[in-house]
Amino acid sequence: AAALVPSLAMAEAGDIVVRLRATHISPDTSSKLQSTTVGLDGGAAANALYGTGANAALQVDNNTIPEIDFSYYITKNIAAELILATGTRHDVKIEGLGTGGSATKADLGSVNLLPPTLTLQWHFNPDQTIDPYVGAGVSYVRAMDNNLNLLGAVPITIDRNNWGVALQAGVDYNLENKWLLNFDVKKIWFDTTVKADLNNNGNYVKIDQLDIDPWV
């Protein structure tokens, strides 16, 4: 009877676990867009679209990407996880109120982000079928391209290199023959400085300090 009991995947010290995930990235943005500056210095077109709308803000959309990660078990309770996701492409918009209180929205283009993340995990129920864990670490976010612009006329840039704090919680469900199922959620805090060449003279000025802070 003992020989017929399935062998479950229980990670031990020195083991490496590889996970392939479908990962949904949902930015929790907080924008401090200086809409009055954009309206005044961005030319007649920008002024007509946004006026001095105090509620104007930058928005970054969601995306779902494939992701692979590697966990090295220092002990059966403690693991270091390196997350290597493919570049994630996000559309960026300005939303707010223009002159007369009318709702406005303008596409600024898109940006590609590469977000490798390293966390240290605590598995508090090892050697069991259900293995929950919590973790904390750091995320490096590389902006791969910055083809952003306002109304096709005002170039916009963001920081190419960004760092942030990451917290995570998840659970492994151990299966037979060294396989497992996983669910994981992370919160990453990082912001970026947004600058625009408002007068098209190569002089970029800060228009926003954008908190992206995605749920992953």
Side-chain angles (χ1 to χ4, degrees):
L4 296 177
V5 174
S7 176
L8 299 183
M10 306 294 189
E12 299 290 341
D15 285 351
I16 295 176
V17 173
V18 181
R19 300 179 185 86
L20 179 64
R21 294 176 172 135
T23 299
H24 184 69
I25 301 171
S26 179
D28 184 15
T29 54
S30 175
S31 174
K32 306 172 185 67
L33 181 66
Q34 300 173 27
S35 55
T36 302
T37 301
V38 174
L40 293 176
D41 295 344
N47 188 60
L49 181 59
Y50 300 112
T52 56
N55 294 323
L58 292 178
Q59 298 291 336
V60 182
D61 77 345
N62 303 335
N63 200 2
T64 301
I65 60 173
E67 176 245 285
I68 189 170
D69 70 79
F70 301 87
S71 293
Y72 175 75
Y73 279 73
I74 302 168
T75 71
K76 65 182 180 180
N77 291 98
I78 301 173
E81 181 185 79
L82 177 62
I83 300 152
L84 299 175
T86 60
T88 172
R89 190 174 187 85
H90 297 272
D91 293 331
V92 184
K93 298 178 176 65
I94 291 180
E95 297 182 354
L97 296 178
T99 53
S102 59
T104 61
K105 179 184 293 186
D107 294 330
L108 302 185
S110 59
V111 61
N112 291 344
L113 303 176
L114 185 65
T117 303
L118 179 65
T119 61
L120 191 66
Q121 300 173 341
W122 172 254
H123 291 253
F124 46 87
N125 193 34
D127 298 332
Q128 302 296 324
T129 302
I130 299 176
D131 179 11
Y133 58 85
V134 293
V138 63
S139 182
Y140 165 69
V141 182
R142 169 72 174 175
M144 302 297 288
D145 66 47
N146 291 336
N147 58 338
L148 301 175
N149 64 82
L150 175 61
L151 302 178
V154 180
I156 296 174
T157 66
I158 63 174
D159 295 334
R160 288 197 173 273
N161 300 290
N162 305 277
W163 294 87
V165 174
L167 295 179
Q168 74 175 149
V171 59
D172 287 330
Y173 186 86
N174 292 310
L175 304 174
E176 300 177 33
N177 302 318
K178 298 185 178 181
W179 287 89
L180 56 82
L181 297 176
N182 172 263
F183 178 79
D184 181 275
V185 62
K186 297 178 184 67
K187 177 68 171 178
I188 301 174
W189 288 268
F190 80 94
D191 60 11
T192 186
T193 301
V194 183
K195 297 181 179 180
D197 184 2
L198 297 174
N199 297 307
N200 285 285
N201 59 4
N203 182 29
Y204 284 82
V205 298
K206 178 179 175 181
I207 62 170
D208 202 340
Q209 189 67 35
L210 181 64
D211 298 326
I212 298 181
D213 300 347
W215 288 96
V216 179

mmCIF file of all heavy atoms in Angstrom, residues 91-139:
data_model
loop_
_atom_site.group_PDB
_atom_site.id
_atom_site.type_symbol
_atom_site.label_atom_id
_atom_site.label_comp_id
_atom_site.label_asym_id
_atom_site.label_seq_id
_atom_site.Cartn_x
_atom_site.Cartn_y
_atom_site.Cartn_z
ATOM 1 N N ASP A 91 -0.066 50.899 -22.931
ATOM 2 C CA ASP A 91 -0.518 52.153 -23.531
ATOM 3 C C ASP A 91 -0.652 53.210 -22.439
ATOM 4 O O ASP A 91 -1.067 52.911 -21.311
ATOM 5 C CB ASP A 91 -1.863 51.967 -24.232
ATOM 6 C CG ASP A 91 -1.746 51.061 -25.453
ATOM 7 O OD1 ASP A 91 -0.661 51.036 -26.064
ATOM 8 O OD2 ASP A 91 -2.735 50.374 -25.779
ATOM 9 N N VAL A 92 -0.308 54.445 -22.785
ATOM 10 C CA VAL A 92 -0.354 55.570 -21.843
ATOM 11 C C VAL A 92 -1.304 56.622 -22.389
ATOM 12 O O VAL A 92 -1.289 56.951 -23.572
ATOM 13 C CB VAL A 92 1.057 56.169 -21.637
ATOM 14 C CG1 VAL A 92 1.011 57.279 -20.584
ATOM 15 C CG2 VAL A 92 2.046 55.092 -21.229
ATOM 16 N N LYS A 93 -2.156 57.155 -21.505
ATOM 17 C CA LYS A 93 -3.150 58.155 -21.906
ATOM 18 C C LYS A 93 -3.164 59.296 -20.910
ATOM 19 O O LYS A 93 -2.728 59.159 -19.766
ATOM 20 C CB LYS A 93 -4.549 57.534 -21.962
ATOM 21 C CG LYS A 93 -4.724 56.409 -22.963
ATOM 22 C CD LYS A 93 -6.135 55.854 -22.896
ATOM 23 C CE LYS A 93 -6.369 54.780 -23.969
ATOM 24 N NZ LYS A 93 -5.515 53.585 -23.728
ATOM 25 N N ILE A 94 -3.677 60.433 -21.379
ATOM 26 C CA ILE A 94 -4.074 61.511 -20.471
ATOM 27 C C ILE A 94 -5.591 61.516 -20.434
ATOM 28 O O ILE A 94 -6.251 61.510 -21.481
ATOM 29 C CB ILE A 94 -3.557 62.888 -20.932
ATOM 30 C CG1 ILE A 94 -2.032 62.973 -20.795
ATOM 31 C CG2 ILE A 94 -4.188 63.995 -20.089
ATOM 32 C CD1 ILE A 94 -1.461 64.306 -21.227
ATOM 33 N N GLU A 95 -6.150 61.518 -19.231
ATOM 34 C CA GLU A 95 -7.593 61.607 -19.064
ATOM 35 C C GLU A 95 -7.897 62.756 -18.126
ATOM 36 O O GLU A 95 -7.133 63.036 -17.200
ATOM 37 C CB GLU A 95 -8.161 60.303 -18.498
ATOM 38 C CG GLU A 95 -7.976 59.099 -19.408
ATOM 39 C CD GLU A 95 -8.585 57.841 -18.847
ATOM 40 O OE1 GLU A 95 -9.053 57.885 -17.689
ATOM 41 O OE2 GLU A 95 -8.598 56.825 -19.557
ATOM 42 N N GLY A 96 -9.010 63.429 -18.373
ATOM 43 C CA GLY A 96 -9.381 64.520 -17.477
ATOM 44 C C GLY A 96 -10.485 65.365 -18.047
ATOM 45 O O GLY A 96 -11.230 64.944 -18.930
ATOM 46 N N LEU A 97 -10.585 66.597 -17.554
ATOM 47 C CA LEU A 97 -11.605 67.534 -17.982
ATOM 48 C C LEU A 97 -10.955 68.682 -18.740
ATOM 49 O O LEU A 97 -9.989 69.282 -18.271
ATOM 50 C CB LEU A 97 -12.381 68.082 -16.774
ATOM 51 C CG LEU A 97 -13.186 67.061 -15.967
ATOM 52 C CD1 LEU A 97 -13.846 67.751 -14.772
ATOM 53 C CD2 LEU A 97 -14.252 66.412 -16.840
ATOM 54 N N GLY A 98 -11.477 68.955 -19.911
ATOM 55 C CA GLY A 98 -10.994 70.084 -20.690
ATOM 56 C C GLY A 98 -11.812 71.328 -20.414
ATOM 57 O O GLY A 98 -12.574 71.406 -19.454
ATOM 58 N N THR A 99 -11.649 72.335 -21.265
ATOM 59 C CA THR A 99 -12.408 73.560 -21.089
ATOM 60 C C THR A 99 -13.903 73.259 -21.228
ATOM 61 O O THR A 99 -14.335 72.446 -22.023
ATOM 62 C CB THR A 99 -11.989 74.589 -22.155
ATOM 63 O OG1 THR A 99 -12.094 73.983 -23.437
ATOM 64 C CG2 THR A 99 -10.571 75.062 -21.928
ATOM 65 N N GLY A 100 -14.698 73.930 -20.404
ATOM 66 C CA GLY A 100 -16.133 73.706 -20.431
ATOM 67 C C GLY A 100 -16.565 72.482 -19.660
ATOM 68 O O GLY A 100 -17.743 72.147 -19.641
ATOM 69 N N GLY A 101 -15.614 71.771 -19.026
ATOM 70 C CA GLY A 101 -15.948 70.616 -18.211
ATOM 71 C C GLY A 101 -16.165 69.349 -18.993
ATOM 72 O O GLY A 101 -16.639 68.363 -18.437
ATOM 73 N N SER A 102 -15.872 69.334 -20.313
ATOM 74 C CA SER A 102 -16.076 68.129 -21.106
ATOM 75 C C SER A 102 -14.979 67.105 -20.835
ATOM 76 O O SER A 102 -13.822 67.460 -20.595
ATOM 77 C CB SER A 102 -16.079 68.479 -22.604
ATOM 78 O OG SER A 102 -14.861 69.090 -22.971
ATOM 79 N N ALA A 103 -15.355 65.822 -20.843
ATOM 80 C CA ALA A 103 -14.391 64.751 -20.618
ATOM 81 C C ALA A 103 -13.466 64.628 -21.823
ATOM 82 O O ALA A 103 -13.912 64.733 -22.973
ATOM 83 C CB ALA A 103 -15.114 63.437 -20.369
ATOM 84 N N THR A 104 -12.190 64.420 -21.572
ATOM 85 C CA THR A 104 -11.217 64.304 -22.652
ATOM 86 C C THR A 104 -10.317 63.094 -22.403
ATOM 87 O O THR A 104 -10.126 62.655 -21.283
ATOM 88 C CB THR A 104 -10.328 65.556 -22.751
ATOM 89 O OG1 THR A 104 -9.605 65.711 -21.528
ATOM 90 C CG2 THR A 104 -11.150 66.800 -23.016
ATOM 91 N N LYS A 105 -9.782 62.571 -23.494
ATOM 92 C CA LYS A 105 -8.825 61.471 -23.405
ATOM 93 C C LYS A 105 -7.918 61.566 -24.622
ATOM 94 O O LYS A 105 -8.398 61.777 -25.741
ATOM 95 C CB LYS A 105 -9.526 60.124 -23.376
ATOM 96 C CG LYS A 105 -8.561 58.929 -23.310
ATOM 97 C CD LYS A 105 -9.319 57.604 -23.386
ATOM 98 C CE LYS A 105 -10.166 57.367 -22.173
ATOM 99 N NZ LYS A 105 -10.800 56.014 -22.184
ATOM 100 N N ALA A 106 -6.625 61.415 -24.415
ATOM 101 C CA ALA A 106 -5.678 61.461 -25.528
ATOM 102 C C ALA A 106 -4.646 60.371 -25.346
ATOM 103 O O ALA A 106 -4.101 60.191 -24.245
ATOM 104 C CB ALA A 106 -5.002 62.821 -25.614
ATOM 105 N N ASP A 107 -4.383 59.633 -26.415
ATOM 106 C CA ASP A 107 -3.347 58.610 -26.398
ATOM 107 C C ASP A 107 -1.986 59.265 -26.534
ATOM 108 O O ASP A 107 -1.764 60.089 -27.426
ATOM 109 C CB ASP A 107 -3.552 57.620 -27.542
ATOM 110 C CG ASP A 107 -4.824 56.805 -27.374
ATOM 111 O OD1 ASP A 107 -5.216 56.575 -26.219
ATOM 112 O OD2 ASP A 107 -5.425 56.416 -28.401
ATOM 113 N N LEU A 108 -1.063 58.880 -25.654
ATOM 114 C CA LEU A 108 0.307 59.389 -25.723
ATOM 115 C C LEU A 108 1.251 58.396 -26.386
ATOM 116 O O LEU A 108 2.422 58.702 -26.586
ATOM 117 C CB LEU A 108 0.821 59.711 -24.311
ATOM 118 C CG LEU A 108 0.013 60.722 -23.506
ATOM 119 C CD1 LEU A 108 0.715 61.017 -22.182
ATOM 120 C CD2 LEU A 108 -0.212 61.999 -24.292
ATOM 121 N N GLY A 109 0.761 57.204 -26.708
ATOM 122 C CA GLY A 109 1.612 56.152 -27.259
ATOM 123 C C GLY A 109 1.749 55.014 -26.260
ATOM 124 O O GLY A 109 0.865 54.778 -25.440
ATOM 125 N N SER A 110 2.860 54.305 -26.310
ATOM 126 C CA SER A 110 3.062 53.167 -25.418
ATOM 127 C C SER A 110 4.516 53.099 -24.988
ATOM 128 O O SER A 110 5.399 53.727 -25.585
ATOM 129 C CB SER A 110 2.666 51.856 -26.107
ATOM 130 O OG SER A 110 3.441 51.673 -27.280
ATOM 131 N N VAL A 111 4.751 52.317 -23.943
ATOM 132 C CA VAL A 111 6.100 52.117 -23.427
ATOM 133 C C VAL A 111 6.272 50.646 -23.073
ATOM 134 O O VAL A 111 5.337 50.005 -22.586
ATOM 135 C CB VAL A 111 6.360 53.020 -22.204
ATOM 136 C CG1 VAL A 111 5.403 52.695 -21.061
ATOM 137 C CG2 VAL A 111 7.805 52.948 -21.748
ATOM 138 N N ASN A 112 7.452 50.094 -23.348
ATOM 139 C CA ASN A 112 7.777 48.713 -22.993
ATOM 140 C C ASN A 112 8.592 48.695 -21.711
ATOM 141 O O ASN A 112 9.595 49.410 -21.597
ATOM 142 C CB ASN A 112 8.576 48.037 -24.116
ATOM 143 C CG ASN A 112 7.740 47.800 -25.350
ATOM 144 O OD1 ASN A 112 6.516 47.863 -25.291
ATOM 145 N ND2 ASN A 112 8.382 47.544 -26.467
ATOM 146 N N LEU A 113 8.184 47.865 -20.765
ATOM 147 C CA LEU A 113 8.865 47.761 -19.474
ATOM 148 C C LEU A 113 9.364 46.338 -19.270
ATOM 149 O O LEU A 113 8.644 45.376 -19.525
ATOM 150 C CB LEU A 113 7.922 48.147 -18.336
ATOM 151 C CG LEU A 113 7.286 49.538 -18.413
ATOM 152 C CD1 LEU A 113 6.304 49.734 -17.265
ATOM 153 C CD2 LEU A 113 8.337 50.628 -18.415
ATOM 154 N N LEU A 114 10.588 46.208 -18.801
ATOM 155 C CA LEU A 114 11.177 44.905 -18.460
ATOM 156 C C LEU A 114 11.389 44.876 -16.950
ATOM 157 O O LEU A 114 12.213 45.627 -16.425
ATOM 158 C CB LEU A 114 12.501 44.710 -19.200
ATOM 159 C CG LEU A 114 13.182 43.352 -19.040
ATOM 160 C CD1 LEU A 114 12.326 42.260 -19.671
ATOM 161 C CD2 LEU A 114 14.568 43.370 -19.685
ATOM 162 N N PRO A 115 10.650 43.997 -16.223
ATOM 163 C CA PRO A 115 10.640 44.100 -14.759
ATOM 164 C C PRO A 115 11.203 42.888 -14.004
ATOM 165 O O PRO A 115 10.470 42.198 -13.278
ATOM 166 C CB PRO A 115 9.149 44.229 -14.473
ATOM 167 C CG PRO A 115 8.516 43.333 -15.528
ATOM 168 C CD PRO A 115 9.458 43.288 -16.709
ATOM 169 N N PRO A 116 12.493 42.536 -14.140
ATOM 170 C CA PRO A 116 13.014 41.441 -13.314
ATOM 171 C C PRO A 116 12.894 41.771 -11.820
ATOM 172 O O PRO A 116 13.140 42.907 -11.409
ATOM 173 C CB PRO A 116 14.479 41.328 -13.747
ATOM 174 C CG PRO A 116 14.810 42.650 -14.350
ATOM 175 C CD PRO A 116 13.547 43.152 -14.971
ATOM 176 N N THR A 117 12.496 40.768 -11.037
ATOM 177 C CA THR A 117 12.237 40.978 -9.605
ATOM 178 C C THR A 117 12.870 39.848 -8.800
ATOM 179 O O THR A 117 12.755 38.680 -9.166
ATOM 180 C CB THR A 117 10.717 41.025 -9.339
ATOM 181 O OG1 THR A 117 10.134 42.066 -10.131
ATOM 182 C CG2 THR A 117 10.426 41.292 -7.868
ATOM 183 N N LEU A 118 13.527 40.199 -7.709
ATOM 184 C CA LEU A 118 14.159 39.228 -6.816
ATOM 185 C C LEU A 118 13.526 39.324 -5.446
ATOM 186 O O LEU A 118 13.474 40.409 -4.853
ATOM 187 C CB LEU A 118 15.664 39.484 -6.718
ATOM 188 C CG LEU A 118 16.466 38.559 -5.801
ATOM 189 C CD1 LEU A 118 16.452 37.128 -6.324
ATOM 190 C CD2 LEU A 118 17.904 39.049 -5.657
ATOM 191 N N THR A 119 12.999 38.203 -4.941
ATOM 192 C CA THR A 119 12.379 38.186 -3.621
ATOM 193 C C THR A 119 12.948 37.054 -2.769
ATOM 194 O O THR A 119 13.447 36.056 -3.290
ATOM 195 C CB THR A 119 10.848 38.009 -3.706
ATOM 196 O OG1 THR A 119 10.552 36.762 -4.334
ATOM 197 C CG2 THR A 119 10.207 39.143 -4.484
ATOM 198 N N LEU A 120 12.853 37.225 -1.467
ATOM 199 C CA LEU A 120 13.194 36.188 -0.501
ATOM 200 C C LEU A 120 11.898 35.717 0.141
ATOM 201 O O LEU A 120 11.153 36.524 0.697
ATOM 202 C CB LEU A 120 14.165 36.723 0.552
ATOM 203 C CG LEU A 120 14.807 35.691 1.475
ATOM 204 C CD1 LEU A 120 15.732 34.767 0.690
ATOM 205 C CD2 LEU A 120 15.582 36.374 2.605
ATOM 206 N N GLN A 121 11.635 34.411 0.056
ATOM 207 C CA GLN A 121 10.353 33.855 0.486
ATOM 208 C C GLN A 121 10.487 33.052 1.779
ATOM 209 O O GLN A 121 11.517 32.420 2.019
ATOM 210 C CB GLN A 121 9.782 32.927 -0.590
ATOM 211 C CG GLN A 121 9.526 33.569 -1.930
ATOM 212 C CD GLN A 121 9.125 32.552 -2.970
ATOM 213 O OE1 GLN A 121 9.366 31.349 -2.817
ATOM 214 N NE2 GLN A 121 8.517 33.017 -4.053
ATOM 215 N N TRP A 122 9.410 33.074 2.545
ATOM 216 C CA TRP A 122 9.279 32.218 3.719
ATOM 217 C C TRP A 122 8.124 31.244 3.473
ATOM 218 O O TRP A 122 6.974 31.647 3.343
ATOM 219 C CB TRP A 122 9.014 33.030 4.977
ATOM 220 C CG TRP A 122 8.670 32.188 6.185
ATOM 221 C CD1 TRP A 122 7.444 32.029 6.754
ATOM 222 C CD2 TRP A 122 9.572 31.395 6.966
ATOM 223 N NE1 TRP A 122 7.513 31.191 7.846
ATOM 224 C CE2 TRP A 122 8.809 30.781 7.998
ATOM 225 C CE3 TRP A 122 10.939 31.131 6.889
ATOM 226 C CZ2 TRP A 122 9.373 29.940 8.936
ATOM 227 C CZ3 TRP A 122 11.502 30.286 7.835
ATOM 228 C CH2 TRP A 122 10.726 29.701 8.835
ATOM 229 N N HIS A 123 8.447 29.947 3.345
ATOM 230 C CA HIS A 123 7.441 28.894 3.182
ATOM 231 C C HIS A 123 7.144 28.332 4.574
ATOM 232 O O HIS A 123 7.986 27.648 5.162
ATOM 233 C CB HIS A 123 7.970 27.800 2.258
ATOM 234 C CG HIS A 123 8.124 28.241 0.834
ATOM 235 N ND1 HIS A 123 7.276 27.829 -0.176
ATOM 236 C CD2 HIS A 123 9.034 29.064 0.253
ATOM 237 C CE1 HIS A 123 7.645 28.381 -1.316
ATOM 238 N NE2 HIS A 123 8.712 29.131 -1.081
ATOM 239 N N PHE A 124 5.961 28.652 5.081
ATOM 240 C CA PHE A 124 5.692 28.313 6.488
ATOM 241 C C PHE A 124 4.925 27.016 6.660
ATOM 242 O O PHE A 124 4.506 26.683 7.768
ATOM 243 C CB PHE A 124 4.960 29.464 7.205
ATOM 244 C CG PHE A 124 3.814 30.064 6.466
ATOM 245 C CD1 PHE A 124 2.553 29.530 6.577
ATOM 246 C CD2 PHE A 124 4.000 31.187 5.681
ATOM 247 C CE1 PHE A 124 1.483 30.088 5.918
ATOM 248 C CE2 PHE A 124 2.924 31.753 5.012
ATOM 249 C CZ PHE A 124 1.661 31.206 5.123
ATOM 250 N N ASN A 125 4.743 26.254 5.589
ATOM 251 C CA ASN A 125 4.107 24.953 5.731
ATOM 252 C C ASN A 125 4.772 23.950 4.769
ATOM 253 O O ASN A 125 4.117 23.378 3.904
ATOM 254 C CB ASN A 125 2.606 25.064 5.434
ATOM 255 C CG ASN A 125 1.841 23.833 5.857
ATOM 256 O OD1 ASN A 125 2.183 23.195 6.848
ATOM 257 N ND2 ASN A 125 0.798 23.490 5.104
ATOM 258 N N PRO A 126 6.104 23.759 4.890
ATOM 259 C CA PRO A 126 6.800 22.865 3.956
ATOM 260 C C PRO A 126 6.400 21.405 4.175
ATOM 261 O O PRO A 126 5.767 21.055 5.166
ATOM 262 C CB PRO A 126 8.274 23.089 4.306
ATOM 263 C CG PRO A 126 8.258 23.468 5.749
ATOM 264 C CD PRO A 126 7.004 24.262 5.941
ATOM 265 N N ASP A 127 6.785 20.571 3.212
ATOM 266 C CA ASP A 127 6.519 19.134 3.287
ATOM 267 C C ASP A 127 5.024 18.808 3.334
ATOM 268 O O ASP A 127 4.631 17.773 3.891
ATOM 269 C CB ASP A 127 7.218 18.507 4.510
ATOM 270 C CG ASP A 127 8.734 18.649 4.436
ATOM 271 O OD1 ASP A 127 9.266 18.716 3.307
ATOM 272 O OD2 ASP A 127 9.370 18.710 5.495
ATOM 273 N N GLN A 128 4.204 19.705 2.764
ATOM 274 C CA GLN A 128 2.772 19.477 2.734
ATOM 275 C C GLN A 128 2.270 19.691 1.300
ATOM 276 O O GLN A 128 2.926 20.339 0.480
ATOM 277 C CB GLN A 128 2.031 20.422 3.684
ATOM 278 C CG GLN A 128 2.485 20.330 5.131
ATOM 279 C CD GLN A 128 2.205 18.965 5.748
ATOM 280 O OE1 GLN A 128 1.179 18.345 5.451
ATOM 281 N NE2 GLN A 128 3.103 18.500 6.598
ATOM 282 N N THR A 129 1.097 19.141 1.004
ATOM 283 C CA THR A 129 0.521 19.320 -0.325
ATOM 284 C C THR A 129 0.277 20.791 -0.632
ATOM 285 O O THR A 129 0.592 21.282 -1.721
ATOM 286 C CB THR A 129 -0.802 18.548 -0.434
ATOM 287 O OG1 THR A 129 -0.560 17.169 -0.174
ATOM 288 C CG2 THR A 129 -1.408 18.702 -1.819
ATOM 289 N N ILE A 130 -0.267 21.512 0.330
ATOM 290 C CA ILE A 130 -0.505 22.948 0.172
ATOM 291 C C ILE A 130 0.606 23.695 0.899
ATOM 292 O O ILE A 130 0.773 23.564 2.112
ATOM 293 C CB ILE A 130 -1.880 23.342 0.720
ATOM 294 C CG1 ILE A 130 -2.980 22.605 -0.058
ATOM 295 C CG2 ILE A 130 -2.088 24.851 0.639
ATOM 296 C CD1 ILE A 130 -4.381 22.851 0.473
ATOM 297 N N ASP A 131 1.388 24.473 0.145
ATOM 298 C CA ASP A 131 2.591 25.130 0.672
ATOM 299 C C ASP A 131 2.481 26.641 0.443
ATOM 300 O O ASP A 131 2.933 27.163 -0.582
ATOM 301 C CB ASP A 131 3.826 24.559 -0.048
ATOM 302 C CG ASP A 131 5.122 25.206 0.412
ATOM 303 O OD1 ASP A 131 5.102 25.939 1.416
ATOM 304 O OD2 ASP A 131 6.153 24.992 -0.256
ATOM 305 N N PRO A 132 1.882 27.385 1.376
ATOM 306 C CA PRO A 132 1.779 28.841 1.220
ATOM 307 C C PRO A 132 3.089 29.535 1.585
ATOM 308 O O PRO A 132 3.929 28.988 2.313
ATOM 309 C CB PRO A 132 0.669 29.213 2.200
ATOM 310 C CG PRO A 132 0.733 28.151 3.244
ATOM 311 C CD PRO A 132 1.205 26.899 2.580
ATOM 312 N N TYR A 133 3.243 30.760 1.085
ATOM 313 C CA TYR A 133 4.473 31.506 1.376
ATOM 314 C C TYR A 133 4.199 33.007 1.281
ATOM 315 O O TYR A 133 3.221 33.459 0.679
ATOM 316 C CB TYR A 133 5.589 31.126 0.395
ATOM 317 C CG TYR A 133 5.255 31.356 -1.056
ATOM 318 C CD1 TYR A 133 5.448 32.605 -1.655
ATOM 319 C CD2 TYR A 133 4.716 30.338 -1.846
ATOM 320 C CE1 TYR A 133 5.134 32.818 -2.984
ATOM 321 C CE2 TYR A 133 4.396 30.548 -3.172
ATOM 322 C CZ TYR A 133 4.614 31.797 -3.747
ATOM 323 O OH TYR A 133 4.288 32.007 -5.060
ATOM 324 N N VAL A 134 5.095 33.769 1.897
ATOM 325 C CA VAL A 134 5.128 35.224 1.741
ATOM 326 C C VAL A 134 6.553 35.607 1.379
ATOM 327 O O VAL A 134 7.498 34.845 1.639
ATOM 328 C CB VAL A 134 4.670 35.965 3.014
ATOM 329 C CG1 VAL A 134 3.191 35.708 3.289
ATOM 330 C CG2 VAL A 134 5.517 35.550 4.216
ATOM 331 N N GLY A 135 6.726 36.776 0.787
ATOM 332 C CA GLY A 135 8.062 37.187 0.372
ATOM 333 C C GLY A 135 8.180 38.691 0.257
ATOM 334 O O GLY A 135 7.186 39.423 0.230
ATOM 335 N N ALA A 136 9.430 39.158 0.178
ATOM 336 C CA ALA A 136 9.721 40.576 -0.005
ATOM 337 C C ALA A 136 11.022 40.693 -0.780
ATOM 338 O O ALA A 136 11.894 39.822 -0.702
ATOM 339 C CB ALA A 136 9.821 41.301 1.342
ATOM 340 N N GLY A 137 11.141 41.773 -1.536
ATOM 341 C CA GLY A 137 12.366 41.933 -2.311
ATOM 342 C C GLY A 137 12.392 43.238 -3.067
ATOM 343 O O GLY A 137 11.776 44.231 -2.658
ATOM 344 N N VAL A 138 13.084 43.239 -4.197
ATOM 345 C CA VAL A 138 13.302 44.445 -4.975
ATOM 346 C C VAL A 138 13.035 44.151 -6.444
ATOM 347 O O VAL A 138 13.274 43.045 -6.931
ATOM 348 C CB VAL A 138 14.747 44.971 -4.779
ATOM 349 C CG1 VAL A 138 15.776 43.962 -5.280
ATOM 350 C CG2 VAL A 138 14.945 46.327 -5.453
ATOM 351 N N SER A 139 12.523 45.138 -7.151
ATOM 352 C CA SER A 139 12.245 45.029 -8.576
ATOM 353 C C SER A 139 12.996 46.121 -9.318
ATOM 354 O O SER A 139 13.016 47.285 -8.894
ATOM 355 C CB SER A 139 10.739 45.155 -8.837
ATOM 356 O OG SER A 139 10.446 45.015 -10.215
#
